[in-house]
Amino acid sequence: EAGVAQSPRYKIIEKRQSVAFWCNPISGHATLYWYQQILGQGPKLLIQFQNNGVVDDSQLPKDRFSAERLKGVDSTLKIQPAKLEDSAVYLCASTSDLLNTEAFFGQGTRLTVV
Amino acid sequence: QKEVEQNSGPLSVPEGAIASLNCTYSDRGSQSFFWYRQYSGKSPELIMSIYSNGDKEDGRFTAQLNKASQYVSLLIRDSQPSDSATYLCAVQGGKLIFGQGTELSVKP
């Protein structure tokens, strides 16, 4: 079974530029999460999708972050414009159901904003 | 109050000792509880899941859940240097929320 795929692995951009991250979950997984993990902290939930609908985006800075999962499969997270404090690892995870199943993580995208 | 709170680290134990990691959560409606291990520069990987009150054992790992106290713990017996990592407590109600992590260092 293929795992969660993310790209790119690394990205360096200047502040005020835009950037996009892509995630392809495990086949058949209905729930997809995007997390931001700043060095030394736990993953912070940005947005949760159930199929192509948003379940929770309460922690997503909507003035600069956007995410979509148009066909209920892969997803894109965008930042525009980026700030220095957006430097973090962006993790995508998926589960087969909302409850009682583990979340599988992709390798993450390490973003550095300079 | 943080939704999921873990005991602050780093936690240092000698090889062969028991490491004890603790976690409390605020949402009484939470139904699923997980412990993930994260090595430096890597993604989290699941090591234990627990869904009902009591203990669950898997090899050297034991997870304990007390829903009345809103408390989850992880015990690692016979700790090995390879157990040195950050341990993340995760709690799921409608969404999956992580604690800040506890860094464990096992000294040979």
Side-chain angles (χ1 to χ4, degrees), chain A residues 3-10 22-25 33-35 37 88-94 104-111, chain B residues 38-45:
Chain A
V4 177
Q6 286 189 249
S7 67
R9 288 294 311 279
Y10 306 94
W22 175 81
C23 172
N24 193 26
Y33 307 88
W34 282 104
Y35 290 91
Q37 188 172 28
V89 175
Y90 290 84
L91 294 164
C92 179
S94 69
F104 294 87
F105 282 84
Q107 291 184 297
T109 296
R110 182 176 298 277
L111 173 67
Chain B
Q38 187 174 30
Y39 292 113
S40 181
K42 301 295 186 182
S43 294
E45 57 176 339

PDB file of all heavy atoms in Angstrom, chain A residues 3-10 22-25 33-35 37 88-94 104-111, chain B residues 38-45:
ATOM      1  N   GLY A   3       2.080   4.999   0.614  1.00  0.00           N
ATOM      2  CA  GLY A   3       1.837   5.899   1.722  1.00  0.00           C
ATOM      3  C   GLY A   3       1.329   7.240   1.255  1.00  0.00           C
ATOM      4  O   GLY A   3       0.997   7.435   0.087  1.00  0.00           O
ATOM      5  N   VAL A   4       1.299   8.192   2.183  1.00  0.00           N
ATOM      6  CA  VAL A   4       0.903   9.552   1.867  1.00  0.00           C
ATOM      7  C   VAL A   4       2.064  10.236   1.144  1.00  0.00           C
ATOM      8  O   VAL A   4       3.198  10.214   1.648  1.00  0.00           O
ATOM      9  CB  VAL A   4       0.543  10.326   3.155  1.00  0.00           C
ATOM     10  CG1 VAL A   4       0.198  11.763   2.824  1.00  0.00           C
ATOM     11  CG2 VAL A   4      -0.613   9.636   3.889  1.00  0.00           C
ATOM     12  N   ALA A   5       1.778  10.802   0.000  1.00  0.00           N
ATOM     13  CA  ALA A   5       2.815  11.461  -0.790  1.00  0.00           C
ATOM     14  C   ALA A   5       2.700  12.969  -0.643  1.00  0.00           C
ATOM     15  O   ALA A   5       1.589  13.524  -0.720  1.00  0.00           O
ATOM     16  CB  ALA A   5       2.689  11.070  -2.262  1.00  0.00           C
ATOM     17  N   GLN A   6       3.833  13.610  -0.427  1.00  0.00           N
ATOM     18  CA  GLN A   6       3.859  15.066  -0.351  1.00  0.00           C
ATOM     19  C   GLN A   6       4.970  15.598  -1.239  1.00  0.00           C
ATOM     20  O   GLN A   6       6.017  14.979  -1.393  1.00  0.00           O
ATOM     21  CB  GLN A   6       4.125  15.554   1.084  1.00  0.00           C
ATOM     22  CG  GLN A   6       2.967  15.398   2.029  1.00  0.00           C
ATOM     23  CD  GLN A   6       3.214  16.100   3.349  1.00  0.00           C
ATOM     24  OE1 GLN A   6       3.376  15.461   4.382  1.00  0.00           O
ATOM     25  NE2 GLN A   6       3.223  17.436   3.323  1.00  0.00           N
ATOM     26  N   SER A   7       4.747  16.785  -1.788  1.00  0.00           N
ATOM     27  CA  SER A   7       5.809  17.469  -2.527  1.00  0.00           C
ATOM     28  C   SER A   7       5.576  18.972  -2.455  1.00  0.00           C
ATOM     29  O   SER A   7       4.445  19.421  -2.246  1.00  0.00           O
ATOM     30  CB  SER A   7       5.822  16.998  -3.996  1.00  0.00           C
ATOM     31  OG  SER A   7       4.646  17.417  -4.654  1.00  0.00           O
ATOM     32  N   PRO A   8       6.661  19.735  -2.550  1.00  0.00           N
ATOM     33  CA  PRO A   8       8.046  19.292  -2.557  1.00  0.00           C
ATOM     34  C   PRO A   8       8.512  18.894  -1.158  1.00  0.00           C
ATOM     35  O   PRO A   8       7.784  19.082  -0.198  1.00  0.00           O
ATOM     36  CB  PRO A   8       8.783  20.544  -3.055  1.00  0.00           C
ATOM     37  CG  PRO A   8       7.968  21.675  -2.498  1.00  0.00           C
ATOM     38  CD  PRO A   8       6.540  21.218  -2.578  1.00  0.00           C
ATOM     39  N   ARG A   9       9.692  18.354  -1.021  1.00  0.00           N
ATOM     40  CA  ARG A   9      10.233  18.025   0.310  1.00  0.00           C
ATOM     41  C   ARG A   9      10.776  19.264   0.996  1.00  0.00           C
ATOM     42  O   ARG A   9      10.682  19.403   2.222  1.00  0.00           O
ATOM     43  CB  ARG A   9      11.352  17.000   0.184  1.00  0.00           C
ATOM     44  CG  ARG A   9      10.906  15.600  -0.165  1.00  0.00           C
ATOM     45  CD  ARG A   9      10.075  14.962   0.963  1.00  0.00           C
ATOM     46  NE  ARG A   9      10.680  15.087   2.275  1.00  0.00           N
ATOM     47  CZ  ARG A   9      11.638  14.316   2.746  1.00  0.00           C
ATOM     48  NH1 ARG A   9      12.140  13.356   2.003  1.00  0.00           N
ATOM     49  NH2 ARG A   9      12.126  14.499   3.970  1.00  0.00           N
ATOM     50  N   TYR A  10      11.368  20.144   0.217  1.00  0.00           N
ATOM     51  CA  TYR A  10      11.961  21.358   0.769  1.00  0.00           C
ATOM     52  C   TYR A  10      11.606  22.529  -0.143  1.00  0.00           C
ATOM     53  O   TYR A  10      11.492  22.375  -1.355  1.00  0.00           O
ATOM     54  CB  TYR A  10      13.489  21.244   0.858  1.00  0.00           C
ATOM     55  CG  TYR A  10      13.965  20.033   1.620  1.00  0.00           C
ATOM     56  CD1 TYR A  10      14.272  18.857   0.945  1.00  0.00           C
ATOM     57  CD2 TYR A  10      14.103  20.071   2.997  1.00  0.00           C
ATOM     58  CE1 TYR A  10      14.700  17.740   1.641  1.00  0.00           C
ATOM     59  CE2 TYR A  10      14.534  18.954   3.701  1.00  0.00           C
ATOM     60  CZ  TYR A  10      14.826  17.796   3.022  1.00  0.00           C
ATOM     61  OH  TYR A  10      15.251  16.700   3.719  1.00  0.00           O
ATOM     62  N   TRP A  22       1.617  20.134  -2.068  1.00  0.00           N
ATOM     63  CA  TRP A  22       0.676  19.137  -2.592  1.00  0.00           C
ATOM     64  C   TRP A  22       0.711  17.880  -1.740  1.00  0.00           C
ATOM     65  O   TRP A  22       1.764  17.483  -1.230  1.00  0.00           O
ATOM     66  CB  TRP A  22       1.056  18.827  -4.036  1.00  0.00           C
ATOM     67  CG  TRP A  22       0.256  17.735  -4.669  1.00  0.00           C
ATOM     68  CD1 TRP A  22      -0.988  17.811  -5.218  1.00  0.00           C
ATOM     69  CD2 TRP A  22       0.653  16.366  -4.823  1.00  0.00           C
ATOM     70  NE1 TRP A  22      -1.374  16.589  -5.714  1.00  0.00           N
ATOM     71  CE2 TRP A  22      -0.386  15.681  -5.479  1.00  0.00           C
ATOM     72  CE3 TRP A  22       1.809  15.653  -4.466  1.00  0.00           C
ATOM     73  CZ2 TRP A  22      -0.315  14.321  -5.799  1.00  0.00           C
ATOM     74  CZ3 TRP A  22       1.885  14.309  -4.784  1.00  0.00           C
ATOM     75  CH2 TRP A  22       0.824  13.652  -5.433  1.00  0.00           C
ATOM     76  N   CYS A  23      -0.442  17.245  -1.602  1.00  0.00           N
ATOM     77  CA  CYS A  23      -0.542  16.011  -0.822  1.00  0.00           C
ATOM     78  C   CYS A  23      -1.480  15.029  -1.528  1.00  0.00           C
ATOM     79  O   CYS A  23      -2.583  15.407  -1.949  1.00  0.00           O
ATOM     80  CB  CYS A  23      -1.078  16.305   0.579  1.00  0.00           C
ATOM     81  SG  CYS A  23      -1.474  14.832   1.558  1.00  0.00           S
ATOM     82  N   ASN A  24      -1.021  13.793  -1.639  1.00  0.00           N
ATOM     83  CA  ASN A  24      -1.874  12.723  -2.151  1.00  0.00           C
ATOM     84  C   ASN A  24      -2.022  11.677  -1.051  1.00  0.00           C
ATOM     85  O   ASN A  24      -1.046  11.017  -0.691  1.00  0.00           O
ATOM     86  CB  ASN A  24      -1.286  12.102  -3.408  1.00  0.00           C
ATOM     87  CG  ASN A  24      -2.288  11.213  -4.121  1.00  0.00           C
ATOM     88  OD1 ASN A  24      -3.497  11.390  -4.001  1.00  0.00           O
ATOM     89  ND2 ASN A  24      -1.802  10.241  -4.861  1.00  0.00           N
ATOM     90  N   PRO A  25      -3.217  11.526  -0.487  1.00  0.00           N
ATOM     91  CA  PRO A  25      -3.380  10.604   0.647  1.00  0.00           C
ATOM     92  C   PRO A  25      -3.360   9.144   0.205  1.00  0.00           C
ATOM     93  O   PRO A  25      -3.317   8.844  -0.993  1.00  0.00           O
ATOM     94  CB  PRO A  25      -4.758  10.987   1.184  1.00  0.00           C
ATOM     95  CG  PRO A  25      -5.508  11.435  -0.037  1.00  0.00           C
ATOM     96  CD  PRO A  25      -4.477  12.142  -0.880  1.00  0.00           C
ATOM     97  N   TYR A  33      -5.724  15.646   6.626  1.00  0.00           N
ATOM     98  CA  TYR A  33      -5.342  16.726   7.539  1.00  0.00           C
ATOM     99  C   TYR A  33      -4.108  17.439   6.997  1.00  0.00           C
ATOM    100  O   TYR A  33      -3.203  16.792   6.468  1.00  0.00           O
ATOM    101  CB  TYR A  33      -4.963  16.190   8.915  1.00  0.00           C
ATOM    102  CG  TYR A  33      -5.955  15.295   9.615  1.00  0.00           C
ATOM    103  CD1 TYR A  33      -5.948  13.919   9.402  1.00  0.00           C
ATOM    104  CD2 TYR A  33      -6.862  15.812  10.529  1.00  0.00           C
ATOM    105  CE1 TYR A  33      -6.836  13.090  10.062  1.00  0.00           C
ATOM    106  CE2 TYR A  33      -7.753  14.985  11.207  1.00  0.00           C
ATOM    107  CZ  TYR A  33      -7.726  13.625  10.970  1.00  0.00           C
ATOM    108  OH  TYR A  33      -8.600  12.798  11.637  1.00  0.00           O
ATOM    109  N   TRP A  34      -4.050  18.737   7.227  1.00  0.00           N
ATOM    110  CA  TRP A  34      -2.827  19.519   7.063  1.00  0.00           C
ATOM    111  C   TRP A  34      -2.428  20.059   8.433  1.00  0.00           C
ATOM    112  O   TRP A  34      -3.243  20.665   9.142  1.00  0.00           O
ATOM    113  CB  TRP A  34      -3.031  20.697   6.114  1.00  0.00           C
ATOM    114  CG  TRP A  34      -3.025  20.361   4.665  1.00  0.00           C
ATOM    115  CD1 TRP A  34      -4.096  20.267   3.827  1.00  0.00           C
ATOM    116  CD2 TRP A  34      -1.872  20.126   3.846  1.00  0.00           C
ATOM    117  NE1 TRP A  34      -3.690  19.964   2.552  1.00  0.00           N
ATOM    118  CE2 TRP A  34      -2.322  19.878   2.538  1.00  0.00           C
ATOM    119  CE3 TRP A  34      -0.490  20.097   4.093  1.00  0.00           C
ATOM    120  CZ2 TRP A  34      -1.463  19.612   1.468  1.00  0.00           C
ATOM    121  CZ3 TRP A  34       0.362  19.827   3.046  1.00  0.00           C
ATOM    122  CH2 TRP A  34      -0.120  19.584   1.748  1.00  0.00           C
ATOM    123  N   TYR A  35      -1.161  19.820   8.794  1.00  0.00           N
ATOM    124  CA  TYR A  35      -0.615  20.314  10.051  1.00  0.00           C
ATOM    125  C   TYR A  35       0.590  21.211   9.770  1.00  0.00           C
ATOM    126  O   TYR A  35       1.332  20.998   8.805  1.00  0.00           O
ATOM    127  CB  TYR A  35      -0.145  19.162  10.944  1.00  0.00           C
ATOM    128  CG  TYR A  35      -1.253  18.308  11.515  1.00  0.00           C
ATOM    129  CD1 TYR A  35      -1.693  17.176  10.840  1.00  0.00           C
ATOM    130  CD2 TYR A  35      -1.840  18.618  12.740  1.00  0.00           C
ATOM    131  CE1 TYR A  35      -2.704  16.377  11.365  1.00  0.00           C
ATOM    132  CE2 TYR A  35      -2.852  17.824  13.270  1.00  0.00           C
ATOM    133  CZ  TYR A  35      -3.272  16.713  12.577  1.00  0.00           C
ATOM    134  OH  TYR A  35      -4.280  15.931  13.105  1.00  0.00           O
ATOM    135  N   GLN A  37       4.056  22.246  11.719  1.00  0.00           N
ATOM    136  CA  GLN A  37       4.893  21.920  12.861  1.00  0.00           C
ATOM    137  C   GLN A  37       6.108  22.830  12.886  1.00  0.00           C
ATOM    138  O   GLN A  37       7.022  22.690  12.062  1.00  0.00           O
ATOM    139  CB  GLN A  37       5.316  20.451  12.868  1.00  0.00           C
ATOM    140  CG  GLN A  37       6.023  20.055  14.166  1.00  0.00           C
ATOM    141  CD  GLN A  37       6.277  18.566  14.288  1.00  0.00           C
ATOM    142  OE1 GLN A  37       6.418  17.867  13.294  1.00  0.00           O
ATOM    143  NE2 GLN A  37       6.362  18.070  15.519  1.00  0.00           N
ATOM    144  N   ALA A  88       8.356  26.394   8.767  1.00  0.00           N
ATOM    145  CA  ALA A  88       7.894  25.234   9.526  1.00  0.00           C
ATOM    146  C   ALA A  88       7.910  24.029   8.594  1.00  0.00           C
ATOM    147  O   ALA A  88       8.200  24.139   7.401  1.00  0.00           O
ATOM    148  CB  ALA A  88       6.478  25.451  10.052  1.00  0.00           C
ATOM    149  N   VAL A  89       7.577  22.879   9.173  1.00  0.00           N
ATOM    150  CA  VAL A  89       7.313  21.689   8.370  1.00  0.00           C
ATOM    151  C   VAL A  89       5.798  21.558   8.232  1.00  0.00           C
ATOM    152  O   VAL A  89       5.070  21.650   9.230  1.00  0.00           O
ATOM    153  CB  VAL A  89       7.909  20.428   9.013  1.00  0.00           C
ATOM    154  CG1 VAL A  89       7.515  19.182   8.218  1.00  0.00           C
ATOM    155  CG2 VAL A  89       9.427  20.534   9.111  1.00  0.00           C
ATOM    156  N   TYR A  90       5.358  21.369   7.005  1.00  0.00           N
ATOM    157  CA  TYR A  90       3.931  21.196   6.751  1.00  0.00           C
ATOM    158  C   TYR A  90       3.673  19.716   6.485  1.00  0.00           C
ATOM    159  O   TYR A  90       4.215  19.137   5.538  1.00  0.00           O
ATOM    160  CB  TYR A  90       3.481  22.099   5.596  1.00  0.00           C
ATOM    161  CG  TYR A  90       3.524  23.542   6.040  1.00  0.00           C
ATOM    162  CD1 TYR A  90       4.714  24.267   5.988  1.00  0.00           C
ATOM    163  CD2 TYR A  90       2.396  24.155   6.578  1.00  0.00           C
ATOM    164  CE1 TYR A  90       4.777  25.572   6.451  1.00  0.00           C
ATOM    165  CE2 TYR A  90       2.448  25.461   7.044  1.00  0.00           C
ATOM    166  CZ  TYR A  90       3.645  26.160   6.983  1.00  0.00           C
ATOM    167  OH  TYR A  90       3.713  27.460   7.453  1.00  0.00           O
ATOM    168  N   LEU A  91       2.876  19.137   7.353  1.00  0.00           N
ATOM    169  CA  LEU A  91       2.617  17.704   7.324  1.00  0.00           C
ATOM    170  C   LEU A  91       1.204  17.432   6.827  1.00  0.00           C
ATOM    171  O   LEU A  91       0.253  18.090   7.247  1.00  0.00           O
ATOM    172  CB  LEU A  91       2.755  17.110   8.729  1.00  0.00           C
ATOM    173  CG  LEU A  91       4.152  17.120   9.347  1.00  0.00           C
ATOM    174  CD1 LEU A  91       4.063  16.875  10.854  1.00  0.00           C
ATOM    175  CD2 LEU A  91       5.028  16.066   8.701  1.00  0.00           C
ATOM    176  N   CYS A  92       1.105  16.463   5.972  1.00  0.00           N
ATOM    177  CA  CYS A  92      -0.202  15.993   5.511  1.00  0.00           C
ATOM    178  C   CYS A  92      -0.414  14.595   6.089  1.00  0.00           C
ATOM    179  O   CYS A  92       0.523  13.787   6.159  1.00  0.00           O
ATOM    180  CB  CYS A  92      -0.245  15.962   3.994  1.00  0.00           C
ATOM    181  SG  CYS A  92      -1.803  15.359   3.311  1.00  0.00           S
ATOM    182  N   ALA A  93      -1.623  14.325   6.533  1.00  0.00           N
ATOM    183  CA  ALA A  93      -1.945  13.001   7.080  1.00  0.00           C
ATOM    184  C   ALA A  93      -3.323  12.586   6.571  1.00  0.00           C
ATOM    185  O   ALA A  93      -4.151  13.433   6.234  1.00  0.00           O
ATOM    186  CB  ALA A  93      -1.927  13.023   8.610  1.00  0.00           C
ATOM    187  N   SER A  94      -3.551  11.269   6.550  1.00  0.00           N
ATOM    188  CA  SER A  94      -4.864  10.791   6.131  1.00  0.00           C
ATOM    189  C   SER A  94      -5.296   9.613   6.979  1.00  0.00           C
ATOM    190  O   SER A  94      -4.463   8.883   7.537  1.00  0.00           O
ATOM    191  CB  SER A  94      -4.865  10.415   4.642  1.00  0.00           C
ATOM    192  OG  SER A  94      -4.092   9.255   4.391  1.00  0.00           O
ATOM    193  N   PHE A 104      -1.968   8.364   9.087  1.00  0.00           N
ATOM    194  CA  PHE A 104      -0.684   8.109   8.444  1.00  0.00           C
ATOM    195  C   PHE A 104      -0.161   9.426   7.884  1.00  0.00           C
ATOM    196  O   PHE A 104      -0.906  10.154   7.227  1.00  0.00           O
ATOM    197  CB  PHE A 104      -0.847   7.090   7.311  1.00  0.00           C
ATOM    198  CG  PHE A 104      -1.229   5.717   7.774  1.00  0.00           C
ATOM    199  CD1 PHE A 104      -2.555   5.373   7.962  1.00  0.00           C
ATOM    200  CD2 PHE A 104      -0.254   4.766   8.037  1.00  0.00           C
ATOM    201  CE1 PHE A 104      -2.922   4.106   8.395  1.00  0.00           C
ATOM    202  CE2 PHE A 104      -0.608   3.493   8.456  1.00  0.00           C
ATOM    203  CZ  PHE A 104      -1.940   3.165   8.646  1.00  0.00           C
ATOM    204  N   PHE A 105       1.121   9.676   8.135  1.00  0.00           N
ATOM    205  CA  PHE A 105       1.710  10.941   7.738  1.00  0.00           C
ATOM    206  C   PHE A 105       2.575  10.810   6.491  1.00  0.00           C
ATOM    207  O   PHE A 105       3.233   9.790   6.277  1.00  0.00           O
ATOM    208  CB  PHE A 105       2.579  11.501   8.868  1.00  0.00           C
ATOM    209  CG  PHE A 105       1.783  12.150   9.960  1.00  0.00           C
ATOM    210  CD1 PHE A 105       1.245  11.400  10.981  1.00  0.00           C
ATOM    211  CD2 PHE A 105       1.562  13.518   9.952  1.00  0.00           C
ATOM    212  CE1 PHE A 105       0.501  11.982  11.990  1.00  0.00           C
ATOM    213  CE2 PHE A 105       0.820  14.121  10.953  1.00  0.00           C
ATOM    214  CZ  PHE A 105       0.289  13.353  11.977  1.00  0.00           C
ATOM    215  N   GLY A 106       2.598  11.866   5.708  1.00  0.00           N
ATOM    216  CA  GLY A 106       3.581  11.986   4.648  1.00  0.00           C
ATOM    217  C   GLY A 106       4.910  12.445   5.230  1.00  0.00           C
ATOM    218  O   GLY A 106       5.038  12.665   6.434  1.00  0.00           O
ATOM    219  N   GLN A 107       5.911  12.591   4.358  1.00  0.00           N
ATOM    220  CA  GLN A 107       7.244  12.973   4.820  1.00  0.00           C
ATOM    221  C   GLN A 107       7.347  14.446   5.173  1.00  0.00           C
ATOM    222  O   GLN A 107       8.308  14.858   5.806  1.00  0.00           O
ATOM    223  CB  GLN A 107       8.272  12.622   3.747  1.00  0.00           C
ATOM    224  CG  GLN A 107       8.460  11.124   3.576  1.00  0.00           C
ATOM    225  CD  GLN A 107       9.555  10.814   2.575  1.00  0.00           C
ATOM    226  OE1 GLN A 107       9.451  11.145   1.398  1.00  0.00           O
ATOM    227  NE2 GLN A 107      10.612  10.194   3.044  1.00  0.00           N
ATOM    228  N   GLY A 108       6.363  15.222   4.771  1.00  0.00           N
ATOM    229  CA  GLY A 108       6.358  16.632   5.116  1.00  0.00           C
ATOM    230  C   GLY A 108       7.097  17.500   4.110  1.00  0.00           C
ATOM    231  O   GLY A 108       7.932  17.023   3.333  1.00  0.00           O
ATOM    232  N   THR A 109       6.771  18.772   4.130  1.00  0.00           N
ATOM    233  CA  THR A 109       7.480  19.778   3.343  1.00  0.00           C
ATOM    234  C   THR A 109       8.091  20.778   4.308  1.00  0.00           C
ATOM    235  O   THR A 109       7.373  21.388   5.102  1.00  0.00           O
ATOM    236  CB  THR A 109       6.531  20.523   2.387  1.00  0.00           C
ATOM    237  OG1 THR A 109       5.993  19.615   1.436  1.00  0.00           O
ATOM    238  CG2 THR A 109       7.280  21.644   1.663  1.00  0.00           C
ATOM    239  N   ARG A 110       9.397  20.915   4.239  1.00  0.00           N
ATOM    240  CA  ARG A 110      10.080  21.884   5.115  1.00  0.00           C
ATOM    241  C   ARG A 110      10.159  23.211   4.383  1.00  0.00           C
ATOM    242  O   ARG A 110      10.812  23.314   3.333  1.00  0.00           O
ATOM    243  CB  ARG A 110      11.478  21.408   5.479  1.00  0.00           C
ATOM    244  CG  ARG A 110      12.204  22.370   6.441  1.00  0.00           C
ATOM    245  CD  ARG A 110      13.550  21.811   6.861  1.00  0.00           C
ATOM    246  NE  ARG A 110      13.413  20.553   7.586  1.00  0.00           N
ATOM    247  CZ  ARG A 110      13.152  20.457   8.874  1.00  0.00           C
ATOM    248  NH1 ARG A 110      13.020  21.550   9.610  1.00  0.00           N
ATOM    249  NH2 ARG A 110      13.062  19.278   9.445  1.00  0.00           N
ATOM    250  N   LEU A 111       9.471  24.209   4.914  1.00  0.00           N
ATOM    251  CA  LEU A 111       9.440  25.547   4.307  1.00  0.00           C
ATOM    252  C   LEU A 111      10.321  26.494   5.105  1.00  0.00           C
ATOM    253  O   LEU A 111      10.205  26.586   6.329  1.00  0.00           O
ATOM    254  CB  LEU A 111       8.012  26.099   4.285  1.00  0.00           C
ATOM    255  CG  LEU A 111       7.875  27.553   3.831  1.00  0.00           C
ATOM    256  CD1 LEU A 111       8.241  27.682   2.349  1.00  0.00           C
ATOM    257  CD2 LEU A 111       6.479  28.093   4.081  1.00  0.00           C
TER     258      LEU A 111
ATOM    259  N   GLN B  38       8.288  10.553  17.157  1.00  0.00           N
ATOM    260  CA  GLN B  38       8.845  11.351  16.073  1.00  0.00           C
ATOM    261  C   GLN B  38      10.349  11.498  16.281  1.00  0.00           C
ATOM    262  O   GLN B  38      10.798  12.151  17.237  1.00  0.00           O
ATOM    263  CB  GLN B  38       8.175  12.736  16.004  1.00  0.00           C
ATOM    264  CG  GLN B  38       8.601  13.544  14.794  1.00  0.00           C
ATOM    265  CD  GLN B  38       7.814  14.847  14.664  1.00  0.00           C
ATOM    266  OE1 GLN B  38       7.383  15.435  15.641  1.00  0.00           O
ATOM    267  NE2 GLN B  38       7.629  15.296  13.423  1.00  0.00           N
ATOM    268  N   TYR B  39      11.104  10.902  15.394  1.00  0.00           N
ATOM    269  CA  TYR B  39      12.540  11.101  15.395  1.00  0.00           C
ATOM    270  C   TYR B  39      12.858  12.435  14.740  1.00  0.00           C
ATOM    271  O   TYR B  39      12.091  12.920  13.904  1.00  0.00           O
ATOM    272  CB  TYR B  39      13.252   9.966  14.663  1.00  0.00           C
ATOM    273  CG  TYR B  39      13.165   8.633  15.360  1.00  0.00           C
ATOM    274  CD1 TYR B  39      12.455   7.561  14.804  1.00  0.00           C
ATOM    275  CD2 TYR B  39      13.812   8.417  16.582  1.00  0.00           C
ATOM    276  CE1 TYR B  39      12.385   6.333  15.452  1.00  0.00           C
ATOM    277  CE2 TYR B  39      13.734   7.193  17.233  1.00  0.00           C
ATOM    278  CZ  TYR B  39      13.023   6.164  16.656  1.00  0.00           C
ATOM    279  OH  TYR B  39      12.955   4.946  17.305  1.00  0.00           O
ATOM    280  N   SER B  40      13.990  13.003  15.116  1.00  0.00           N
ATOM    281  CA  SER B  40      14.385  14.315  14.608  1.00  0.00           C
ATOM    282  C   SER B  40      14.427  14.325  13.079  1.00  0.00           C
ATOM    283  O   SER B  40      15.054  13.465  12.453  1.00  0.00           O
ATOM    284  CB  SER B  40      15.762  14.687  15.161  1.00  0.00           C
ATOM    285  OG  SER B  40      16.156  15.959  14.697  1.00  0.00           O
ATOM    286  N   GLY B  41      13.718  15.258  12.481  1.00  0.00           N
ATOM    287  CA  GLY B  41      13.704  15.387  11.027  1.00  0.00           C
ATOM    288  C   GLY B  41      12.780  14.420  10.318  1.00  0.00           C
ATOM    289  O   GLY B  41      12.749  14.393   9.087  1.00  0.00           O
ATOM    290  N   LYS B  42      12.035  13.616  11.083  1.00  0.00           N
ATOM    291  CA  LYS B  42      11.130  12.635  10.482  1.00  0.00           C
ATOM    292  C   LYS B  42       9.682  12.963  10.823  1.00  0.00           C
ATOM    293  O   LYS B  42       9.401  13.816  11.658  1.00  0.00           O
ATOM    294  CB  LYS B  42      11.463  11.229  10.993  1.00  0.00           C
ATOM    295  CG  LYS B  42      12.884  10.791  10.705  1.00  0.00           C
ATOM    296  CD  LYS B  42      13.134  10.646   9.215  1.00  0.00           C
ATOM    297  CE  LYS B  42      14.509  10.069   8.936  1.00  0.00           C
ATOM    298  NZ  LYS B  42      14.775   9.977   7.466  1.00  0.00           N
ATOM    299  N   SER B  43       8.769  12.253  10.169  1.00  0.00           N
ATOM    300  CA  SER B  43       7.354  12.435  10.443  1.00  0.00           C
ATOM    301  C   SER B  43       6.919  11.574  11.619  1.00  0.00           C
ATOM    302  O   SER B  43       7.569  10.573  11.936  1.00  0.00           O
ATOM    303  CB  SER B  43       6.537  12.056   9.210  1.00  0.00           C
ATOM    304  OG  SER B  43       6.799  12.945   8.156  1.00  0.00           O
ATOM    305  N   PRO B  44       5.813  11.932  12.265  1.00  0.00           N
ATOM    306  CA  PRO B  44       5.308  11.102  13.363  1.00  0.00           C
ATOM    307  C   PRO B  44       4.895   9.720  12.878  1.00  0.00           C
ATOM    308  O   PRO B  44       4.343   9.571  11.784  1.00  0.00           O
ATOM    309  CB  PRO B  44       4.091  11.891  13.860  1.00  0.00           C
ATOM    310  CG  PRO B  44       4.308  13.292  13.399  1.00  0.00           C
ATOM    311  CD  PRO B  44       5.012  13.161  12.098  1.00  0.00           C
ATOM    312  N   GLU B  45       5.144   8.712  13.714  1.00  0.00           N
ATOM    313  CA  GLU B  45       4.698   7.357  13.425  1.00  0.00           C
ATOM    314  C   GLU B  45       3.966   6.812  14.645  1.00  0.00           C
ATOM    315  O   GLU B  45       4.371   7.036  15.786  1.00  0.00           O
ATOM    316  CB  GLU B  45       5.877   6.444  13.057  1.00  0.00           C
ATOM    317  CG  GLU B  45       6.957   6.377  14.108  1.00  0.00           C
ATOM    318  CD  GLU B  45       8.065   5.399  13.771  1.00  0.00           C
ATOM    319  OE1 GLU B  45       7.845   4.498  12.945  1.00  0.00           O
ATOM    320  OE2 GLU B  45       9.152   5.535  14.362  1.00  0.00           O
TER     321      GLU B  45
END
